[in-house]
Amino acid sequence: MSGTCRETVEQQAYLTRHLLDYTAAPVVGGTFLRGVLPTRDTVRIVTGASDAVAPDALTVYEVPLTDDDGDPVTAPLVLGWVRMLAAGTPPRSDEFVMGMALLRVDTSLVEPAPPTPVDRVLRVLRTLAWPFTESPPSPPLCGFLLGQGDRMRLYIAVEEANGVIGVDVRLTGALTALLAALPTLVHEKERWAHDPDPHCTHTIDLTTW
């Protein structure tokens, strides 16, 4: 994996890790985080109602991974931009990705919403519960998308794939065993399949594992 690709993976994993709480706490009003989709130069934040999974009920905000100075964007900044846009009626979009309306965010035109009291509480608790370590999780989780029923797609960076693999899992069953085996399973190339999902190079179906 090239240096640039590795930096992108690290940035995607960082953003995913710090936005996860908003699957349970609203981003704003009745809008929740329903997914984080990785691409080479952007992060796509999927939003909708707390139980929304149908593509036509979701909105995707595409945000650059770097600011105007070329520095990596922070999770609070991404959250602020998305919160500001999601607070009103999303503008009509003629672009779609995986059936979801796609809005490309011009960050120079959007003033990020300020942090909320919930943001500050989560920052304190996250810092104490998940202290920074020099060794990040391996393989890195670069995104996810909640699906129908108890399904979820995980986007995991795999060096041999030179990119991200989409891993379909169920949230019920032998989940503890699956999570323990996942770092090994994603490297088994015989499990890899092609998929039209533009956010990964291959997919693995572990829903029946």
Side-chain angles (χ1 to χ4, degrees), residues 22-201:
Y22 296 92
T23 57
V27 173
V28 61
T31 300
F32 290 75
L33 179 73
R34 303 302 290 163
V36 177
L37 303 175
T39 75
R40 180 177 178 179
D41 301 309
T42 68
V43 60
R44 291 175 170 173
I45 306 299
V46 184
T47 63
S50 61
D51 58 351
V53 291
D56 60 1
L58 300 171
T59 301
V60 182
Y61 297 94
E62 182 180 274
V63 180
L65 284 176
T66 57
D67 61 19
D68 292 339
D69 297 322
D71 295 323
V73 296
T74 64
L77 194 54
V78 170
L79 181 62
W81 283 321
V82 171
R83 179 175 282 146
M84 180 62 72
L85 292 167
T89 302
R92 183 177 178 275
S93 176
D94 294 323
E95 288 189 81
F96 295 86
V97 59
M98 299 171 67
M100 301 175 288
L102 175 64
L103 299 174
R104 301 183 192 274
V105 179
D106 184 344
T107 55
S108 66
L109 302 178
V110 180
E111 185 69 24
T116 67
V118 171
D119 295 342
R120 297 187 181 97
V121 168
L122 290 173
R123 180 178 180 182
V124 170
L125 297 178
R126 189 187 300 116
T127 300
L128 295 174
W130 295 344
F132 174 80
T133 63
E134 290 292 339
S135 300
S138 180
L141 175 68
C142 295
F144 68 96
L145 183 63
L146 298 171
Q148 299 281 355
D150 65 347
R151 295 174 68 104
M152 177 167 61
R153 174 163 288 185
L154 307 172
Y155 293 92
I156 296 177
V158 177
E159 188 162 353
E160 297 94 320
N162 197 28
V164 173
I165 288 181
V167 183
D168 292 323
V169 300
R170 288 192 179 277
L171 303 178
T172 53
L175 192 56
T176 300
L178 172 60
L179 293 177
L182 196 60
T184 299
L185 295 174
V186 295
H187 293 283
E188 296 176 355
K189 294 184 179 180
E190 62 272 17
R191 296 182 181 272
W192 296 2
H194 291 287
D195 190 279
D197 185 343
H199 306 101
C200 54
T201 58

Side-chain angles (χ1 to χ4, degrees), residues 2-18:
S2 68
T4 301
C5 185
R6 186 173 294 107
E7 290 174 3
T8 298
V9 165
E10 291 173 356
Q11 176 71 353
Q12 293 281 10
Y14 150 74
L15 292 171
T16 298
R17 194 163 58 247
H18 282 75

